[in-house]
Amino acid sequence: MKEKRIVDILGLVEETYIAEAAPQKRQMRPGFRLRKLALCAGAVILAICLSFGTVLAVNAQWRQAVIAFFFPLYTENEICEIEEGHRSGSFDMIDTLNTFLEQFNRENMIEGLTAKKDGGFHYTLIPKDENAVNAIVECSPSSEKLLVMMERKPYEETTGLWQVTAYQVIDSQTAEEMMEDFQ
Amino acid sequence: MEDKQIVELYWARSERAISETKQKYGRYCRSIAYNILHNREDSEECVNDTYFNAWRAIPPQRPSRLSTYLGKITRNLALNKWEKYTAEKRGAGQVELALNELSECIPAPNRVDQAADDLAVAEILNRFLASLSKEARMIFMRRYWYFSPIKEIAADFAIGESKVKMTLMRARTALKNILEEEGIEL
């Protein structure tokens, strides 16, 4: 039988060659180990980012804390976000701002701070884009200002409804910088 | 433990020789048997028989290289079992495939002086193996001595399966040419 003969002849080859080719216990290639590690780290980072993003989307309190952490430039005070459903709105941006500032003073939304009203509120508007405007409002005490963030939300066959989405206390210097940047 | 010490244990008829052999070469022998038989139970049986055969053969033998000595025993035992498999038509594993690949370049056996002829062919085979690059030689041996699957060889050498196949094909062609040059009829 030819096969048997092949097997017999192969059995007679030098031992050196047999030993040389012996299957080794598989060792991970160094690059492979590193790639595996990087892949695991990537997966962990991705999981963290996804969880972080989810929590950020659903929890307003957490969102405020994160924004305050990452954008400490404005102030040490955190951004107070007004949740959807608690926002008052108007088709006119100035009406919306005035209504909010009245409420701000009436409800004493930030203790010890009131929007200065002297024949009307005093503010500077800083448009971000067509549908978003920030207003820097003069306050008492004058060392602090109120940053009011407004957005125009789409509303049934109209040009949109202006709403105050968030507000934040900022210091005078930050307010000036913001206004300089705008100009 | 060093091979020399294990061989000494065999000579001293210490049963520890078996456990040390098992610990050092069990995996190696198992892989040889499994490549041929593709059956865990039969492979395990072959490996156990290998220890038994080594126990019977040492002494008087004193193998200089214990690994290949045991590997040869395992390979022979597994091939005998494989022959039974094929007789019972339940062949499995890589042997048939590997032998089919090689059959074209090994001479037909219809000779009276076959044993002597086998030695001559083996001598040529050794010279042929020496002429190959180390990688090609190892790939050839992995395929035709250890009967490792192409996929496994490719993984162990960190190369593609097509490169393994190409290396083997070139080696077979070279072997065939050498055998023809040596006047061995195909």
Side-chain angles (χ1 to χ4, degrees):
Chain A
M1 213 177 122
K2 198 171 179 180
E3 286 81 4
K4 178 75 172 69
R5 190 170 181 219
I6 296 169
V7 167
D8 289 345
I9 293 171
L10 278 166
L12 297 170
V13 295
E14 272 181 32
E15 286 196 353
T16 321
Y17 303 141
I18 301 170
E20 179 186 62
Q24 301 296 315
K25 199 174 177 182
R26 279 196 197 169
Q27 284 182 342
M28 275 189 197
R29 278 170 277 152
F32 183 73
R33 193 188 290 270
L34 212 65
R35 275 205 298 277
K36 215 172 164 183
L37 211 68
L39 211 68
C40 288
V44 170
I45 291 168
L46 188 70
I48 290 170
C49 287
L50 288 175
S51 320
F52 185 80
T54 310
V55 176
L56 202 69
V58 299
N59 189 321
Q61 210 175 359
W62 171 248
R63 192 157 54 238
Q64 283 168 21
V66 170
I67 292 168
F69 177 80
F70 283 108
F71 302 100
L73 175 72
Y74 286 178
T75 174
E76 285 177 1
N77 295 307
E78 61 183 23
I79 292 176
C80 302
E81 197 175 339
I82 301 170
E83 284 187 49
E84 202 122 22
H86 291 88
R87 295 173 186 168
S88 54
S90 164
F91 295 113
D92 184 83
M93 182 183 63
I94 303 300
D95 274 357
T96 306
L97 179 60
N98 286 332
T99 309
F100 170 74
L101 293 174
E102 291 288 358
Q103 186 192 1
F104 180 82
N105 284 349
R106 190 175 60 247
E107 294 180 6
N108 199 17
M109 287 165 83
I110 292 177
E111 209 175 318
L113 189 77
T114 51
K116 199 171 167 186
K117 192 177 180 187
D118 182 12
F121 293 107
H122 295 255
Y123 46 79
T124 306
L125 295 175
I126 302 175
K128 284 167 74 184
D129 58 51
E130 202 182 330
N131 296 313
V133 172
N134 284 346
I136 296 173
V137 183
E138 296 294 326
C139 290
S140 177
S142 58
S143 59
E144 288 180 309
K145 315 276 181 198
L146 184 67
L147 175 68
V148 181
M149 292 158 239
M150 291 180 288
E151 283 178 25
R152 181 158 55 182
K153 306 282 182 186
Y155 189 76
E156 297 169 4
E157 296 175 0
T158 66
T159 52
L161 194 65
W162 282 95
Q163 291 181 333
V164 174
T165 54
Y167 59 95
Q168 186 181 19
V169 178
I170 56 175
D171 56 51
S172 300
Q173 197 186 336
T174 308
E176 276 169 30
E177 281 170 8
M178 284 177 78
M179 284 189 280
E180 275 170 23
D181 286 347
F182 168 62
Q183 284 157 5
Chain B
M1 187 181 270
E2 293 293 313
D3 285 2
K4 213 172 176 182
Q5 292 172 286
I6 299 175
V7 172
E8 285 307 325
L9 287 173
Y10 276 104
W11 273 77
R13 309 313 289 158
S14 164
E15 286 184 13
R16 214 180 125 210
I18 303 284
S19 58
E20 292 293 340
T21 305
K22 196 173 181 176
Q23 195 184 338
K24 191 167 182 185
Y25 294 113
R27 186 190 167 95
Y28 171 70
C29 292
R30 236 184 332 272
S31 74
I32 294 173
Y34 187 77
N35 280 343
I36 295 169
L37 300 169
H38 269 230
N39 180 306
R40 296 215 178 275
E41 283 174 18
D42 288 346
S43 303
E44 203 54 48
E45 197 181 313
C46 272
V47 175
N48 287 331
D49 288 348
T50 301
Y51 304 144
F52 181 62
N53 281 16
W55 179 258
R56 282 196 309 182
I58 313 171
Q61 291 180 17
R62 192 182 280 277
S64 55
R65 203 192 295 262
L66 192 58
S67 60
T68 49
Y69 178 81
L70 295 167
K72 279 182 176 181
I73 296 175
T74 310
R75 185 173 181 269
N76 287 336
L77 289 168
L79 284 166
N80 287 341
K81 235 181 225 306
W82 172 78
E83 272 184 65
K84 280 186 196 168
Y85 274 7
T86 39
E88 292 166 19
K89 301 228 182 279
R90 57 182 187 113
Q94 295 293 315
V95 185
E96 206 142 8
L97 288 171
L99 293 182
N100 280 341
E101 288 165 20
L102 265 182
S103 62
E104 282 176 22
C105 54
I106 300 286
N110 303 326
R111 303 264 182 94
V112 181
D113 55 346
Q114 192 188 310
D117 215 29
D118 282 358
L119 278 175
V121 177
E123 185 52 40
I124 294 167
L125 192 59
N126 280 328
R127 269 190 281 135
F128 157 75
L129 288 170
S131 73
L132 292 177
S133 70
K134 190 179 176 186
E135 187 181 72
R137 182 168 61 238
M138 285 168 78
I139 290 173
F140 186 91
M141 290 299 284
R142 279 295 298 275
R143 181 65 178 155
Y144 301 121
W145 201 92
Y146 288 98
F147 300 107
S148 298
I150 302 275
K151 197 176 174 180
E152 189 184 300
I153 299 171
D156 285 356
F157 285 80
I159 53 175
E161 288 183 36
S162 54
K163 189 180 174 189
V164 174
K165 285 178 191 167
M166 184 58 75
T167 306
L168 291 171
M169 197 193 76
R170 284 184 184 150
R172 288 197 306 269
T173 309
L175 177 60
K176 187 179 177 181
N177 291 340
I178 289 172
L179 289 170
E180 279 175 347
E181 279 169 20
E182 294 287 335
I184 292 167
E185 287 177 21
L186 302 178

